[in-house]
Amino acid sequence: MLLLTAEGVPKMAELLVRASAQDAALLRRIYGLDGHSPAAARPSRIVVDAHPPLKGADIAMTARRAGVPLLIDPQTYYLQGTQHPDDPWATRLPFGRADKLVPADFDAFTQEQLVASAVEYQIQHGATAVIAPYVHIDRLNSEWIDIQAGLWQRTARYLARENIALHVTAVLAIGWRVLHPVQGHAALAPALSALAALEPREVALAASKADQGVRPQDRAMDLVLMIERIRRDINVIAWQQGHLGELAVAAGATGYECGIGWRERCDLGAAANAHRKPQTGGTRSARPVFVNALGRSIPKQSLEALRSHRELWMRMMCADSGCCPVGGGTGLLGDARAHAIVQRRQRIDQLDRIERGVWRWQHLAESADAGLDLAHRLNRRAATNVDVKHVDTSALEAVSAVSHTRRVDARSRRVA
């Protein structure tokens, strides 16, 4: 599907990159703000977690200089669980707290306070658009659906009252059960109706564990159907969906958001649980490296262990001189963060250039099948080499199965 701007100009799908405080220098380099040429491909928007701006990171300044939008994710669904008393999200944010809240705690006054503090925090720290407070809806009969509707309605009234004219992004954070193509949309009706008052620029669909389960292809298909349903009325961004981002774009999403190496899949429960333990500040493992043939990142240790296996290494190294100009894989391993951004951007640009939907699905199916073949080869190597880590093939299997099905469906519709 060809996306158009308000002026009727073709619109390229967006890549939103979630950066951490340690990525500030990387972003300056990517956008050519360090005195050198910009990277061959760059993110459309930058996203940061709620608490990094408090560390004095200059990501907001970098975004302004680069002329790209900045989103600050308030991550207000953390309120639904207990946080560690010393966690920066709980202790340093005006809307953060360590104790767990239940739906009954979200009375009108609490919602008003949350909306005001979350919106003002984002604006004060340089956000160029507002993310409305959101909660995690993990069940079809969840009481949180009405809470989400209330938060969106109160956000709309607060923005109007304060004359805030920034674009709004509405994060719809749901568990995989709520993706059901019939029951899911019906259950979410109160929240989706509240979008009419909020008038957001887009819905950021955060579908937790959509690439997992015994049959990940079923969850991924439900994700595709949910995107197709919502985008009838409003643009959709796939939120925290590095593994399924291209699948979402093929389904009609205007883009996807993910981290750089880390945080490539949406697991809201795991993200919240990470804040229930003290932040040790110990040595962190090396950042995973994006492998274009797999469409995902794998541990750097695995790549280093496989350099001597010529056949596998040739399929994994980056041959794009505009991305990794240093040969032999040195550029890939030495500048993995820039490589991940450039390759993800170029992959969705390539998908965008494919005009017909059936050809897009064919492209995704072939890419996923090739990735599965490589992943199986890596996993056979992992069985005999402890330095090579097993590759989770759930997302690739899901993309392959769904893409083949949608390709056949598209051809059948054309014949009919």
Side-chain angles (χ1 to χ4, degrees):
M1 184 187 70
L2 182 64
L3 301 172
L4 300 177
T5 65
E7 295 76 22
V9 179
K11 177 182 179 181
M12 301 297 287
E14 294 188 86
L15 173 66
L16 286 72
V17 166
R18 186 171 296 250
S20 65
Q22 60 186 284
D23 293 322
L26 167 70
L27 293 174
R28 288 195 296 272
R29 179 156 51 89
I30 287 289
Y31 289 110
L33 302 177
D34 64 346
H36 297 86
S37 298
R42 299 166 293 282
S44 311
R45 288 184 263 174
I46 300 172
V47 183
V48 295
D49 289 344
H51 56 278
L54 294 174
K55 297 180 179 180
D58 59 350
I59 292 180
M61 178 63 73
T62 298
R64 283 196 296 273
R65 292 179 60 198
V68 297
L70 172 70
L71 293 173
I72 298 176
D73 187 350
Q75 301 165 301
T76 46
Y77 73 96
Y78 288 172
L79 293 168
Q80 295 169 262
T82 304
Q83 309 301 309
H84 190 271
D86 295 329
D87 186 85
W89 187 92
T91 59
R92 300 179 187 175
L93 300 179
F95 48 87
R97 53 193 296 173
D99 56 321
K100 176 181 178 179
L101 298 183
V102 299
D105 296 322
F106 278 79
D107 56 22
F109 178 74
T110 301
Q111 290 189 38
E112 292 283 359
Q113 279 193 317
L114 176 58
V115 166
S117 57
V119 170
E120 287 305 315
Y121 176 83
Q122 294 173 60
I123 295 173
Q124 290 170 6
H125 288 86
T128 58
V130 170
I131 296 180
Y134 63 98
V135 292
H136 180 199
I137 303 167
D138 62 348
R139 300 187 314 278
L140 289 169
N141 60 347
S142 175
E143 296 177 84
W144 292 109
I145 295 174
D146 289 331
I147 301 302
Q148 184 61 81
L151 288 171
W152 281 343
Q153 291 165 350
R154 288 179 168 82
T155 300
R157 291 198 291 266
Y158 181 80
L159 295 175
R161 187 169 62 247
E162 299 297 322
N163 292 316
I164 297 172
L166 297 178
H167 285 303
V168 180
T169 293
V171 176
L172 180 59
I174 58 178
W176 61 269
R177 295 177 182 85
V178 190
L179 285 172
H180 192 280
V182 177
Q183 299 176 13
H185 197 273
L188 292 170
L192 295 176
S193 296
L195 292 174
L198 185 60
E199 296 182 335
R201 171 183 180 178
E202 67 214 349
V203 168
L205 182 58
S208 188
K209 297 185 178 180
D211 62 340
Q212 299 296 298
V214 177
R215 289 181 57 81
Q217 63 268 31
D218 291 345
R219 297 186 187 183
M221 180 61 83
D222 288 348
L223 173 65
V224 165
L225 295 175
M226 180 66 80
I227 290 172
E228 291 178 342
R229 183 70 178 270
I230 295 176
R231 72 174 175 83
R232 296 175 190 173
D233 304 311
I234 189 171
N235 289 335
V236 178
I237 287 282
W239 201 247
Q240 299 183 33
Q241 290 291 357
H243 290 178
L244 301 179
E246 292 168 38
L247 186 76
V249 170
T254 58
Y256 74 90
E257 177 264 321
C258 74
I260 309 172
W262 293 313
R263 300 172 69 173
E264 292 184 333
R265 59 184 294 260
C266 184
D267 188 338
L268 301 175
N273 288 336
H275 289 259
R276 294 172 188 171
K277 302 175 183 178
Q279 303 297 312
T280 59
T283 302
R284 195 172 188 179
S285 59
R287 190 185 300 243
V289 178
F290 183 79
V291 177
N292 196 40
L294 295 173
R296 61 169 295 161
S297 298
I298 64 174
K300 185 176 182 180
Q301 175 185 354
S302 293
L303 282 169
E304 291 172 334
L306 290 164
R307 292 191 70 168
S308 60
H309 300 278
R310 183 173 178 81
E311 179 188 0
L312 292 176
W313 179 247
M314 291 301 292
R315 292 182 64 178
M316 292 187 296
M317 65 176 290
C318 181
D320 183 355
S321 60
C323 174
C324 297
V326 181
T330 304
L332 169 64
L333 293 174
D335 199 3
R337 294 180 299 164
H339 161 81
I341 292 173
V342 171
Q343 291 303 306
R344 283 194 177 277
R345 172 78 258 183
Q346 290 183 343
R347 284 172 69 95
I348 60 172
D349 285 349
Q350 181 182 14
L351 193 61
D352 246 346
R353 289 192 290 269
I354 301 175
E355 295 182 0
R356 294 185 179 274
V358 64
W359 296 343
R360 284 190 175 194
W361 291 118
Q362 178 70 29
H363 170 79
L364 279 183
E366 293 175 351
S367 177
D369 289 347
L372 276 172
D373 177 71
L374 175 58
H376 291 322
R377 291 172 182 265
L378 294 178
N379 288 340
R380 287 195 292 270
R381 185 67 60 180
T384 59
N385 187 337
V386 295
D387 292 327
V388 179
K389 303 305 177 184
H390 184 272
V391 178
D392 185 351
T393 60
S394 297
L396 282 168
E397 291 167 358
V399 173
S400 173
V402 172
S403 298
H404 280 293
T405 299
R406 301 303 278 179
R407 174 183 58 83
V408 172
D409 290 346
R411 284 183 175 175
S412 298
R413 287 194 294 270
R414 289 182 63 195
V415 172

